[in-house]
Amino acid sequence: MSRARKVPSPAMLDPRNPVSASEQALAEVVELARLMEGKSTQRPRLVGPRGETLELPEPVFHLLRQVVTVLARGDAVTVVPVHKELTSQQAADLLNVSRQYLVRLLDEGAIPYTKTGKHRRIRIDDLLAYKEKRDAQREADLDELAQMSQDFGGYSECS
């Protein structure tokens, strides 16, 4: 018995709408991730709805494997071109900060940007580089705090 596949609507293809696996589909996604990790001598192929096959170029397969791996963890995914430019509000949303704070970061030179008229535009690759650097610094700071706590005998137990 075949299941009907829903054709994606334009809203589903919008990068502002992340895609996640439903609870029902999660087991299938986890199995797919397991299969994609296996080593094979054959090139991966897609099979279309009428049985037509198409060999996948290696970069496409690696991207699909990354997407499937993230979905298998239960996380949502969105695909955005690396050179896409974001508005200051979109960039702030991605960093989970206020727009005003993001503008301050831009003005301080922490993140490169361009101006189109009065509007700032931030390339997503620059924003993600900043986010990666920020997250690495936070991790290092937390490790340092944890080490300081250990050096001073840890936390006393509450009674």
Side-chain angles (χ1 to χ4, degrees):
M1 181 173 177
S2 69
R3 293 183 293 188
R5 299 274 183 206
K6 184 177 178 184
V7 176
S9 69
M12 290 175 69
L13 300 176
D14 186 339
R16 293 172 294 186
N17 297 323
V19 175
S20 60
S22 67
E23 285 186 37
Q24 297 82 6
L26 190 56
E28 292 175 339
V29 172
V30 169
E31 177 62 14
L32 179 59
R34 188 188 66 75
L35 290 172
M36 291 178 89
E37 286 301 316
K39 302 291 183 215
S40 175
T41 56
Q42 294 181 334
R43 284 194 57 184
R45 294 183 306 247
L46 282 179
V47 179
R50 293 185 218 64
E52 66 275 25
T53 62
L54 175 67
E55 285 192 0
L56 289 178
E58 199 165 325
V60 173
F61 176 73
H62 291 301
L63 177 63
L64 288 174
R65 182 169 42 192
Q66 287 178 343
V67 168
V68 169
T69 300
V70 171
L71 290 173
R73 287 194 312 246
D75 293 332
V77 174
T78 189
V79 177
V80 179
V82 173
H83 297 295
K84 178 176 175 59
E85 290 188 332
L86 304 174
T87 66
S88 56
Q89 185 61 60
Q90 290 169 325
D93 291 345
L94 198 142
L95 292 178
N96 199 26
V97 298
S98 71
R99 193 184 70 74
Q100 292 81 5
Y101 179 74
L102 177 87
V103 168
R104 189 172 347 138
L105 290 173
L106 298 175
D107 290 343
E108 291 170 355
I111 305 168
Y113 71 96
T114 57
K115 271 193 146 181
T116 305
K118 294 181 180 182
H119 303 285
R120 293 173 177 86
R121 296 289 183 252
I122 303 101
R123 284 179 42 146
I124 194 159
D125 52 342
D126 291 333
L127 188 70
L128 293 176
Y130 169 81
K131 184 178 184 305
E132 187 174 319
K133 182 179 170 185
R134 178 197 68 180
D135 292 349
Q137 184 61 51
R138 284 180 177 175
E139 188 72 28
D141 291 345
L142 285 172
D143 288 345
E144 184 180 348
L145 283 172
Q147 186 60 51
M148 287 173 61
S149 176
Q150 290 295 323
D151 292 346
F152 291 108
Y155 291 102
S156 61
E157 299 214 18
C158 298
S159 14

